């Protein structure tokens, strides 16, 4: 069974940056569009960025121009570079395929943007 492990979250001030990583226990990235999702308290989980096997990227309007998704298939890792962070970016961030696979969900990594 594939395990996805997210890391890189933390507490950052508004305007700051973080880089999230998602490592898989085996190669799934070559065969799947991958996405970064987030879930804020009291809100539904949402897809914020996705990258296809060809490297095409798409972003939610709320993060466009600030977040960048990338992948390294050789390392079985997907990244999310987050710049100009805002308090409304506070959430638990997860990676998964797009569309998501139920048994791929990991524990996520907490991102808190606060002064």
């Amino acid at each position: 069974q594939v395990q996805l492990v997210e890391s890189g979250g933390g507490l950052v001030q508004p305007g700051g940056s973080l880089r999230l990583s998602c490592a898989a226990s085996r190669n799934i990235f070559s065969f799947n569009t991958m996405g970064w999702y987030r879930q804020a308290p009291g809100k539904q989980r949402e897809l914020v960025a996705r990258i296809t096997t060809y490297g095409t990227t798409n972003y939610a309007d709320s993060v466009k121009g600030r977040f960048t998704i990338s992948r390294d298939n050789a390392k079985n890792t997907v990244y999310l570079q987050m710049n100009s962070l805002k308090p409304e970016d506070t959430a638990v961030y997860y990676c998964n395929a797009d569309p998501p696979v139920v048994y791929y969900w990991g524990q996520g990594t907490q991102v808190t943007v606060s002064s």
Side-chain angles (χ1 to χ4, degrees):
Q1 189 167 344
V2 175
Q3 285 187 318
L4 295 177
V5 179
E6 301 91 349
S7 62
L11 173 64
V12 63
Q13 292 186 342
S17 298
L18 284 174
R19 189 193 194 204
L20 306 183
S21 299
C22 171
S25 57
R26 63 177 177 85
N27 182 16
I28 61 169
F29 301 144
S30 297
F31 312 106
N32 290 280
T33 293
M34 296 300 298
W36 279 98
Y37 301 76
R38 68 185 181 187
Q39 187 167 20
K43 294 187 176 181
Q44 287 191 329
R45 194 172 297 181
E46 62 172 342
L47 176 66
V48 297
R50 63 194 292 272
I51 184 167
T52 70
T53 55
Y54 298 102
T56 302
T57 58
N58 301 97
Y59 300 92
D61 288 343
S62 59
V63 307
K64 200 172 294 182
R66 300 187 298 119
F67 290 11
T68 302
I69 187 172
S70 60
R71 63 197 296 164
D72 187 334
N73 292 343
K75 295 183 178 180
N76 295 339
T77 303
V78 175
Y79 304 97
L80 186 67
Q81 177 67 42
M82 305 187 296
N83 299 327
S84 302
L85 282 161
K86 304 176 181 180
E88 50 264 43
D89 295 318
T90 295
V92 179
Y93 284 73
Y94 305 85
C95 68
N96 202 321
D98 177 33
V101 177
V102 171
Y103 52 83
Y104 282 179
W105 290 116
Q107 295 300 309
T109 185
Q110 175 70 48
V111 172
T112 303
V113 184
S114 175
S115 55

